[in-house]
Amino acid sequence: MGSIPFYLHDLGQRELDSIAEVFNGPILTTGETVERFENRFREYLHVRHALAVTSCTGALHLALIALGIGRGDEVITTPMTFVATALAVIAAGATPVFVDVEPETGNLNPELIEPAITERTKAILPVHLYGLMCDMKRIRAIADKHGLRIIEDAAHCIEGHRNGIRPGQLSDAAAFSFYATKNLTCGEGGAIITNNSGLDEKLRLLRLHGMTKTAWDRYREGYTHWDVIVPGWKYNMSNIDAAILLPQLDRIHENLVKRQTRALRYVDALAGINSVRLQASVDDCTHAHHIFPIWIEGADRDQVMINLQKRGISTMVNYRAIHLHSHFRKAYGHVKGQFPIAERMGETTLSLPFYPNIPDEHVDAVAKALREILS
Ligand SMILES: *Cc1c(COP(=O)(O)O)cnc(C)c1O
């Protein structure tokens, strides 16, 4: 495909050595390696509990189920996110209720949450878009006032914080993704963090069929009969995946700094192109910089994308507004015009090639191409 790729992972010998350790041991499924990853992950995020699972979609689904959210319940969320956010709500049996986003950041607009609350509303599901945290203090205050749960979709935001608050600190639970292009990756994987020990226990049961013993327990203790005490799911992470993740935690800060540097280079290189708007920065906030998006205003985004592709530059669209996908139109009667800010963003957003080791020349070449295409 293109000569300037959208994303390249930085996995290598360290991860191969780590996988070899698992291969040399007896447990391929959830075991000691997963436990080590969970401990390091919760320490990094300054929370009490972390559970490793097979995806962020599964993490969101489990968190909703464990909090007792299901049929007849409504969950307030954003239409400007990956569809998995809303699909997890549907998987739990509940209804996603969208509210529009802030024009400057693309995050769920807290002003619009209260008007969307009904007696069926059980939770708010904010997404820290591209790595920019939502105003969690404000969302916590609304949730407290109305007795609602908060589950964060922190798929983009392991490293971010805002006003001293990190994901998982003001919510019931936060969900993370280790999908192929995320800031930490094992190809496919996810995690849930929480400060609530009761919730953690429930999540651990639900993660593996609701069984009272895991394969690792049986290995350590010898076989004893186990019981299924709730109907659970199959979302447990394997030791192999945890082995791929562990060495990446050693360079998580280094990689964040690399992305910060590349993001600043883009900002400088794109300066003065009138049709390009950037996500606003927010005071007292560390952006996790998962994706580098621009909003193309005054030109056709899809044409720009095609022109970049012709020059060998790969881009993505994160995201077209969820409520306009066929299923959401059909199932919930959503129509164009309902969430105009998210819709406009969905029509104008373009994600540029971006990852920790992207060469400076690539950043400069992308900016130069945009300047030419848009002039
Ligand atoms: C990637 C992503 C997900 C889904 O993550 P998986 O691990 O692929 O299930 C959910 N929400 C957002 C915002 C994402 O970017």
Side-chain angles (χ1 to χ4, degrees):
M1 285 285 288
S3 53
I4 297 193
F6 180 73
Y7 176 88
L8 290 177
H9 70 73
D10 70 345
L11 307 185
Q13 197 56 48
R14 288 167 288 199
E15 288 72 29
L16 288 171
D17 292 344
S18 181
I19 294 169
E21 261 180 61
V22 173
F23 283 11
N24 289 329
I27 305 288
L28 298 179
T29 181
T30 313
E32 193 260 335
T33 319
V34 169
E35 195 172 277
R36 260 195 293 149
F37 171 72
E38 290 176 340
N39 284 331
R40 288 198 54 197
F41 195 65
R42 76 178 162 74
E43 280 163 19
Y44 179 80
L45 283 147
H46 305 272
V47 288
R48 266 187 227 125
H49 307 284
L51 285 92
V53 292
T54 46
S55 72
C56 181
T57 312
L60 291 166
H61 181 208
L62 269 196
L64 288 157
I65 302 262
L67 289 166
I69 295 162
R71 267 182 70 171
D73 297 334
E74 294 176 355
V75 176
I76 293 176
T77 191
T78 164
M80 182 38 63
T81 176
F82 183 54
V83 285
T85 313
L87 291 175
V89 173
I90 296 170
T95 303
V97 172
F98 298 117
V99 302
D100 212 346
V101 298
E102 300 172 331
E104 307 81 19
T105 67
N107 276 336
L108 183 66
N109 188 343
E111 301 274 340
L112 303 175
I113 295 175
E114 280 199 286
I117 294 173
T118 71
E119 67 259 26
R120 289 169 175 253
T121 308
K122 288 285 157 40
I124 306 168
L125 205 177
V127 179
H128 308 308
L129 193 66
Y130 311 134
L132 175 65
M133 267 194 85
C134 298
D135 186 347
M136 288 307 296
K137 287 185 181 172
R138 190 128 175 240
I139 293 172
R140 180 73 260 168
I142 298 167
D144 284 342
K145 187 170 159 199
H146 296 273
L148 304 178
R149 301 293 196 167
I150 304 174
I151 299 158
E152 292 165 81
D153 181 338
H156 298 178
C157 194
I158 303 169
E159 307 90 341
H161 43 95
R162 177 168 176 173
N163 306 317
I165 305 298
R166 290 166 183 275
Q169 292 183 333
L170 292 186
S171 60
D172 292 277
F176 298 88
S177 174
F178 309 130
Y179 172 71
T181 57
K182 297 297 200 307
N183 290 353
L184 286 183
T185 182
C186 55
E188 299 284 356
I192 315 168
I193 59 171
T194 180
N195 274 324
N196 178 336
S197 300
L199 184 63
D200 174 66
E201 266 176 46
K202 258 194 203 164
L203 288 166
R204 275 174 204 282
L205 257 182
L206 290 172
R207 171 175 73 170
L208 186 64
H209 300 308
M211 287 164 65
T212 51
K213 286 198 187 303
T214 67
W216 191 33
D217 294 333
R218 296 197 294 273
Y219 171 80
R220 283 178 303 180
E221 300 162 8
Y223 179 89
T224 52
H225 292 309
W226 42 264
D227 191 19
V228 170
I229 53 176
V230 288
W233 305 82
K234 185 62 162 71
Y235 282 143
N236 58 308
M237 178 182 278
S238 78
N239 271 355
I240 302 166
D241 285 324
I244 300 171
L245 292 167
L246 269 167
Q248 295 174 65
L249 286 173
D250 297 333
R251 57 180 187 273
I252 191 168
H253 183 70
E254 186 190 326
N255 275 352
L256 171 64
V257 171
K258 285 181 177 179
R259 291 195 309 276
Q260 285 168 336
T261 310
R262 271 62 176 187
L264 280 175
R265 193 175 184 95
Y266 262 129
V267 172
D268 284 346
L270 296 169
I273 308 181
N274 285 333
S275 346
V276 170
R277 187 162 74 86
L278 301 177
Q279 190 183 30
S281 51
V282 164
D283 288 343
D284 195 14
C285 183
T286 293
H287 197 301
H289 288 298
H290 167 49
I291 279 168
F292 191 88
I294 58 172
W295 293 313
I296 295 174
E297 299 181 339
D300 184 280
R301 187 266 321 272
D302 288 353
Q303 278 309 317
V304 174
M305 188 166 58
I306 291 164
N307 276 322
L308 287 169
Q309 187 62 56
K310 278 187 196 147
R311 296 169 188 233
I313 298 169
S314 300
T315 56
M316 298 277 160
V317 170
N318 306 95
Y319 304 90
R320 285 154 62 232
I322 295 185
H323 66 286
L324 297 179
H325 283 280
S326 302
H327 173 72
F328 291 84
R329 288 180 190 253
K330 258 189 282 172
Y332 306 101
H334 287 308
V335 291
K336 218 171 160 158
Q338 259 184 308
F339 309 108
I341 311 282
E343 289 168 17
R344 178 93 191 108
M345 228 165 245
E347 286 161 9
T348 58
T349 192
L350 191 67
S351 305
L352 303 184
F354 189 67
Y355 52 97
N357 294 320
I358 185 172
D360 285 346
E361 310 82 73
H362 285 198
V363 171
D364 297 346
V366 172
K368 183 165 173 279
L370 274 168
R371 196 177 290 278
E372 285 168 10
I373 292 165
L374 289 167
S375 70

